Amino acid sequence: MSSTNLKITIDGSAGSAAPYEQLRAQIAARARSGKLPAGFKLPTVRGLAEDLGLAANTVAKAYRALEADGVIETRGRNGTFVAAAGEGAAREAASAAQAYAERVHRLGLTEAGAIAAATEALRARYAAK
């Protein structure tokens, strides 16, 4: 399944990531790389679902995750757009890092232990791409 407008391809084979996750990851990657510039208007949930052969709820779930991550923004009836790069993601990352620091401190980890745990998690996550 693919959308020619966004060049999104959904792999429906066994063992592939959930369709909403594939959609979320591809839109996020294109927004970060600049292939989808800030202000780019995304298709409606129903329109993209139809293009990709997915349920509207699947696309809506991906859009909600992207909005929560600060990658896209919904402007009411005007539509959904790629958000300005960096700002939302940087704020979200800083907030997550602060929460992590507080949690590992409460758990009694040393700074070195906390850094090692975060480094391992990041390596595992980025190697999985």
mmCIF file with all atom_site columns, all heavy atoms in Angstrom, residues 113-129:
data_model
loop_
_atom_site.group_PDB
_atom_site.id
_atom_site.type_symbol
_atom_site.label_atom_id
_atom_site.label_alt_id
_atom_site.label_comp_id
_atom_site.label_asym_id
_atom_site.label_entity_id
_atom_site.label_seq_id
_atom_site.pdbx_PDB_ins_code
_atom_site.Cartn_x
_atom_site.Cartn_y
_atom_site.Cartn_z
_atom_site.occupancy
_atom_site.B_iso_or_equiv
_atom_site.pdbx_formal_charge
_atom_site.auth_seq_id
_atom_site.auth_comp_id
_atom_site.auth_asym_id
_atom_site.auth_atom_id
_atom_site.pdbx_PDB_model_num
ATOM 1   N N   . GLY A 1 113 ? 25.787 5.158  35.870 1.00 0.00 ? 113 GLY A N   1
ATOM 2   C CA  . GLY A 1 113 ? 24.818 4.084  35.630 1.00 0.00 ? 113 GLY A CA  1
ATOM 3   C C   . GLY A 1 113 ? 23.625 4.566  34.823 1.00 0.00 ? 113 GLY A C   1
ATOM 4   O O   . GLY A 1 113 ? 23.130 3.869  33.929 1.00 0.00 ? 113 GLY A O   1
ATOM 5   N N   . ALA A 1 114 ? 23.169 5.761  35.140 1.00 0.00 ? 114 ALA A N   1
ATOM 6   C CA  . ALA A 1 114 ? 22.029 6.340  34.415 1.00 0.00 ? 114 ALA A CA  1
ATOM 7   C C   . ALA A 1 114 ? 22.401 6.615  32.957 1.00 0.00 ? 114 ALA A C   1
ATOM 8   O O   . ALA A 1 114 ? 21.623 6.332  32.044 1.00 0.00 ? 114 ALA A O   1
ATOM 9   C CB  . ALA A 1 114 ? 21.562 7.617  35.098 1.00 0.00 ? 114 ALA A CB  1
ATOM 10  N N   . ILE A 1 115 ? 23.587 7.149  32.753 1.00 0.00 ? 115 ILE A N   1
ATOM 11  C CA  . ILE A 1 115 ? 24.043 7.433  31.388 1.00 0.00 ? 115 ILE A CA  1
ATOM 12  C C   . ILE A 1 115 ? 24.204 6.130  30.610 1.00 0.00 ? 115 ILE A C   1
ATOM 13  O O   . ILE A 1 115 ? 23.801 6.036  29.445 1.00 0.00 ? 115 ILE A O   1
ATOM 14  C CB  . ILE A 1 115 ? 25.351 8.258  31.402 1.00 0.00 ? 115 ILE A CB  1
ATOM 15  C CG1 . ILE A 1 115 ? 25.053 9.679  31.892 1.00 0.00 ? 115 ILE A CG1 1
ATOM 16  C CG2 . ILE A 1 115 ? 26.003 8.283  30.024 1.00 0.00 ? 115 ILE A CG2 1
ATOM 17  C CD1 . ILE A 1 115 ? 26.283 10.513 32.184 1.00 0.00 ? 115 ILE A CD1 1
ATOM 18  N N   . ALA A 1 116 ? 24.764 5.111  31.253 1.00 0.00 ? 116 ALA A N   1
ATOM 19  C CA  . ALA A 1 116 ? 24.939 3.818  30.586 1.00 0.00 ? 116 ALA A CA  1
ATOM 20  C C   . ALA A 1 116 ? 23.593 3.216  30.187 1.00 0.00 ? 116 ALA A C   1
ATOM 21  O O   . ALA A 1 116 ? 23.431 2.696  29.075 1.00 0.00 ? 116 ALA A O   1
ATOM 22  C CB  . ALA A 1 116 ? 25.704 2.853  31.489 1.00 0.00 ? 116 ALA A CB  1
ATOM 23  N N   . ALA A 1 117 ? 22.605 3.299  31.072 1.00 0.00 ? 117 ALA A N   1
ATOM 24  C CA  . ALA A 1 117 ? 21.278 2.755  30.773 1.00 0.00 ? 117 ALA A CA  1
ATOM 25  C C   . ALA A 1 117 ? 20.629 3.512  29.609 1.00 0.00 ? 117 ALA A C   1
ATOM 26  O O   . ALA A 1 117 ? 20.054 2.902  28.702 1.00 0.00 ? 117 ALA A O   1
ATOM 27  C CB  . ALA A 1 117 ? 20.383 2.823  32.012 1.00 0.00 ? 117 ALA A CB  1
ATOM 28  N N   . ALA A 1 118 ? 20.743 4.829  29.624 1.00 0.00 ? 118 ALA A N   1
ATOM 29  C CA  . ALA A 1 118 ? 20.163 5.635  28.537 1.00 0.00 ? 118 ALA A CA  1
ATOM 30  C C   . ALA A 1 118 ? 20.880 5.361  27.220 1.00 0.00 ? 118 ALA A C   1
ATOM 31  O O   . ALA A 1 118 ? 20.237 5.231  26.171 1.00 0.00 ? 118 ALA A O   1
ATOM 32  C CB  . ALA A 1 118 ? 20.241 7.117  28.883 1.00 0.00 ? 118 ALA A CB  1
ATOM 33  N N   . THR A 1 119 ? 22.192 5.252  27.269 1.00 0.00 ? 119 THR A N   1
ATOM 34  C CA  . THR A 1 119 ? 22.974 4.983  26.058 1.00 0.00 ? 119 THR A CA  1
ATOM 35  C C   . THR A 1 119 ? 22.587 3.644  25.446 1.00 0.00 ? 119 THR A C   1
ATOM 36  O O   . THR A 1 119 ? 22.396 3.534  24.233 1.00 0.00 ? 119 THR A O   1
ATOM 37  C CB  . THR A 1 119 ? 24.481 5.022  26.361 1.00 0.00 ? 119 THR A CB  1
ATOM 38  O OG1 . THR A 1 119 ? 24.805 6.329  26.855 1.00 0.00 ? 119 THR A OG1 1
ATOM 39  C CG2 . THR A 1 119 ? 25.317 4.733  25.126 1.00 0.00 ? 119 THR A CG2 1
ATOM 40  N N   . GLU A 1 120 ? 22.450 2.631  26.282 1.00 0.00 ? 120 GLU A N   1
ATOM 41  C CA  . GLU A 1 120 ? 22.054 1.299  25.793 1.00 0.00 ? 120 GLU A CA  1
ATOM 42  C C   . GLU A 1 120 ? 20.668 1.344  25.153 1.00 0.00 ? 120 GLU A C   1
ATOM 43  O O   . GLU A 1 120 ? 20.434 0.759  24.097 1.00 0.00 ? 120 GLU A O   1
ATOM 44  C CB  . GLU A 1 120 ? 22.070 0.266  26.920 1.00 0.00 ? 120 GLU A CB  1
ATOM 45  C CG  . GLU A 1 120 ? 23.399 -0.373 27.137 1.00 0.00 ? 120 GLU A CG  1
ATOM 46  C CD  . GLU A 1 120 ? 23.974 -1.001 25.874 1.00 0.00 ? 120 GLU A CD  1
ATOM 47  O OE1 . GLU A 1 120 ? 23.306 -1.827 25.223 1.00 0.00 ? 120 GLU A OE1 1
ATOM 48  O OE2 . GLU A 1 120 ? 25.111 -0.642 25.526 1.00 0.00 ? 120 GLU A OE2 1
ATOM 49  N N   . ALA A 1 121 ? 19.739 2.027  25.802 1.00 0.00 ? 121 ALA A N   1
ATOM 50  C CA  . ALA A 1 121 ? 18.377 2.129  25.266 1.00 0.00 ? 121 ALA A CA  1
ATOM 51  C C   . ALA A 1 121 ? 18.375 2.855  23.924 1.00 0.00 ? 121 ALA A C   1
ATOM 52  O O   . ALA A 1 121 ? 17.683 2.443  22.982 1.00 0.00 ? 121 ALA A O   1
ATOM 53  C CB  . ALA A 1 121 ? 17.469 2.850  26.263 1.00 0.00 ? 121 ALA A CB  1
ATOM 54  N N   . LEU A 1 122 ? 19.151 3.912  23.814 1.00 0.00 ? 122 LEU A N   1
ATOM 55  C CA  . LEU A 1 122 ? 19.233 4.658  22.556 1.00 0.00 ? 122 LEU A CA  1
ATOM 56  C C   . LEU A 1 122 ? 19.880 3.814  21.460 1.00 0.00 ? 122 LEU A C   1
ATOM 57  O O   . LEU A 1 122 ? 19.398 3.800  20.325 1.00 0.00 ? 122 LEU A O   1
ATOM 58  C CB  . LEU A 1 122 ? 20.007 5.960  22.754 1.00 0.00 ? 122 LEU A CB  1
ATOM 59  C CG  . LEU A 1 122 ? 19.270 7.032  23.546 1.00 0.00 ? 122 LEU A CG  1
ATOM 60  C CD1 . LEU A 1 122 ? 20.223 8.129  23.971 1.00 0.00 ? 122 LEU A CD1 1
ATOM 61  C CD2 . LEU A 1 122 ? 18.109 7.584  22.744 1.00 0.00 ? 122 LEU A CD2 1
ATOM 62  N N   . ARG A 1 123 ? 20.944 3.123  21.786 1.00 0.00 ? 123 ARG A N   1
ATOM 63  C CA  . ARG A 1 123 ? 21.600 2.260  20.788 1.00 0.00 ? 123 ARG A CA  1
ATOM 64  C C   . ARG A 1 123 ? 20.639 1.191  20.294 1.00 0.00 ? 123 ARG A C   1
ATOM 65  O O   . ARG A 1 123 ? 20.560 0.925  19.095 1.00 0.00 ? 123 ARG A O   1
ATOM 66  C CB  . ARG A 1 123 ? 22.837 1.609  21.381 1.00 0.00 ? 123 ARG A CB  1
ATOM 67  C CG  . ARG A 1 123 ? 24.025 2.518  21.442 1.00 0.00 ? 123 ARG A CG  1
ATOM 68  C CD  . ARG A 1 123 ? 25.281 1.764  21.852 1.00 0.00 ? 123 ARG A CD  1
ATOM 69  N NE  . ARG A 1 123 ? 26.383 2.707  22.000 1.00 0.00 ? 123 ARG A NE  1
ATOM 70  C CZ  . ARG A 1 123 ? 27.220 2.715  23.003 1.00 0.00 ? 123 ARG A CZ  1
ATOM 71  N NH1 . ARG A 1 123 ? 27.132 1.811  23.968 1.00 0.00 ? 123 ARG A NH1 1
ATOM 72  N NH2 . ARG A 1 123 ? 28.177 3.606  23.059 1.00 0.00 ? 123 ARG A NH2 1
ATOM 73  N N   . ALA A 1 124 ? 19.909 0.573  21.223 1.00 0.00 ? 124 ALA A N   1
ATOM 74  C CA  . ALA A 1 124 ? 18.959 -0.473 20.848 1.00 0.00 ? 124 ALA A CA  1
ATOM 75  C C   . ALA A 1 124 ? 17.855 0.089  19.965 1.00 0.00 ? 124 ALA A C   1
ATOM 76  O O   . ALA A 1 124 ? 17.464 -0.519 18.962 1.00 0.00 ? 124 ALA A O   1
ATOM 77  C CB  . ALA A 1 124 ? 18.371 -1.135 22.098 1.00 0.00 ? 124 ALA A CB  1
ATOM 78  N N   . ARG A 1 125 ? 17.361 1.265  20.303 1.00 0.00 ? 125 ARG A N   1
ATOM 79  C CA  . ARG A 1 125 ? 16.258 1.865  19.545 1.00 0.00 ? 125 ARG A CA  1
ATOM 80  C C   . ARG A 1 125 ? 16.704 2.273  18.148 1.00 0.00 ? 125 ARG A C   1
ATOM 81  O O   . ARG A 1 125 ? 16.040 2.015  17.161 1.00 0.00 ? 125 ARG A O   1
ATOM 82  C CB  . ARG A 1 125 ? 15.711 3.071  20.286 1.00 0.00 ? 125 ARG A CB  1
ATOM 83  C CG  . ARG A 1 125 ? 14.627 3.803  19.547 1.00 0.00 ? 125 ARG A CG  1
ATOM 84  C CD  . ARG A 1 125 ? 13.434 2.881  19.336 1.00 0.00 ? 125 ARG A CD  1
ATOM 85  N NE  . ARG A 1 125 ? 12.450 3.488  18.479 1.00 0.00 ? 125 ARG A NE  1
ATOM 86  C CZ  . ARG A 1 125 ? 12.162 3.041  17.263 1.00 0.00 ? 125 ARG A CZ  1
ATOM 87  N NH1 . ARG A 1 125 ? 12.759 1.993  16.771 1.00 0.00 ? 125 ARG A NH1 1
ATOM 88  N NH2 . ARG A 1 125 ? 11.247 3.637  16.545 1.00 0.00 ? 125 ARG A NH2 1
ATOM 89  N N   . TYR A 1 126 ? 17.832 2.923  18.041 1.00 0.00 ? 126 TYR A N   1
ATOM 90  C CA  . TYR A 1 126 ? 18.284 3.395  16.739 1.00 0.00 ? 126 TYR A CA  1
ATOM 91  C C   . TYR A 1 126 ? 18.826 2.276  15.868 1.00 0.00 ? 126 TYR A C   1
ATOM 92  O O   . TYR A 1 126 ? 18.775 2.369  14.641 1.00 0.00 ? 126 TYR A O   1
ATOM 93  C CB  . TYR A 1 126 ? 19.284 4.542  16.885 1.00 0.00 ? 126 TYR A CB  1
ATOM 94  C CG  . TYR A 1 126 ? 18.593 5.836  17.249 1.00 0.00 ? 126 TYR A CG  1
ATOM 95  C CD1 . TYR A 1 126 ? 18.465 6.230  18.573 1.00 0.00 ? 126 TYR A CD1 1
ATOM 96  C CD2 . TYR A 1 126 ? 18.013 6.622  16.265 1.00 0.00 ? 126 TYR A CD2 1
ATOM 97  C CE1 . TYR A 1 126 ? 17.796 7.403  18.901 1.00 0.00 ? 126 TYR A CE1 1
ATOM 98  C CE2 . TYR A 1 126 ? 17.347 7.788  16.593 1.00 0.00 ? 126 TYR A CE2 1
ATOM 99  C CZ  . TYR A 1 126 ? 17.239 8.176  17.913 1.00 0.00 ? 126 TYR A CZ  1
ATOM 100 O OH  . TYR A 1 126 ? 16.569 9.321  18.231 1.00 0.00 ? 126 TYR A OH  1
ATOM 101 N N   . ALA A 1 127 ? 19.304 1.218  16.452 1.00 0.00 ? 127 ALA A N   1
ATOM 102 C CA  . ALA A 1 127 ? 19.766 0.051  15.690 1.00 0.00 ? 127 ALA A CA  1
ATOM 103 C C   . ALA A 1 127 ? 18.591 -0.711 15.105 1.00 0.00 ? 127 ALA A C   1
ATOM 104 O O   . ALA A 1 127 ? 18.730 -1.408 14.101 1.00 0.00 ? 127 ALA A O   1
ATOM 105 C CB  . ALA A 1 127 ? 20.597 -0.868 16.565 1.00 0.00 ? 127 ALA A CB  1
ATOM 106 N N   . ALA A 1 128 ? 17.405 -0.550 15.699 1.00 0.00 ? 128 ALA A N   1
ATOM 107 C CA  . ALA A 1 128 ? 16.211 -1.283 15.259 1.00 0.00 ? 128 ALA A CA  1
ATOM 108 C C   . ALA A 1 128 ? 15.598 -0.713 13.986 1.00 0.00 ? 128 ALA A C   1
ATOM 109 O O   . ALA A 1 128 ? 14.670 -1.281 13.451 1.00 0.00 ? 128 ALA A O   1
ATOM 110 C CB  . ALA A 1 128 ? 15.170 -1.293 16.384 1.00 0.00 ? 128 ALA A CB  1
ATOM 111 N N   . LYS A 1 129 ? 16.091 0.398  13.492 1.00 0.00 ? 129 LYS A N   1
ATOM 112 C CA  . LYS A 1 129 ? 15.485 1.036  12.311 1.00 0.00 ? 129 LYS A CA  1
ATOM 113 C C   . LYS A 1 129 ? 15.738 0.282  11.075 1.00 0.00 ? 129 LYS A C   1
ATOM 114 O O   . LYS A 1 129 ? 16.515 -0.260 10.589 1.00 0.00 ? 129 LYS A O   1
ATOM 115 C CB  . LYS A 1 129 ? 15.951 2.469  12.166 1.00 0.00 ? 129 LYS A CB  1
ATOM 116 C CG  . LYS A 1 129 ? 15.313 3.326  13.196 1.00 0.00 ? 129 LYS A CG  1
ATOM 117 C CD  . LYS A 1 129 ? 15.556 4.770  12.890 1.00 0.00 ? 129 LYS A CD  1
ATOM 118 C CE  . LYS A 1 129 ? 14.730 5.598  13.858 1.00 0.00 ? 129 LYS A CE  1
ATOM 119 N NZ  . LYS A 1 129 ? 14.310 6.814  13.378 1.00 0.00 ? 129 LYS A NZ  1
#
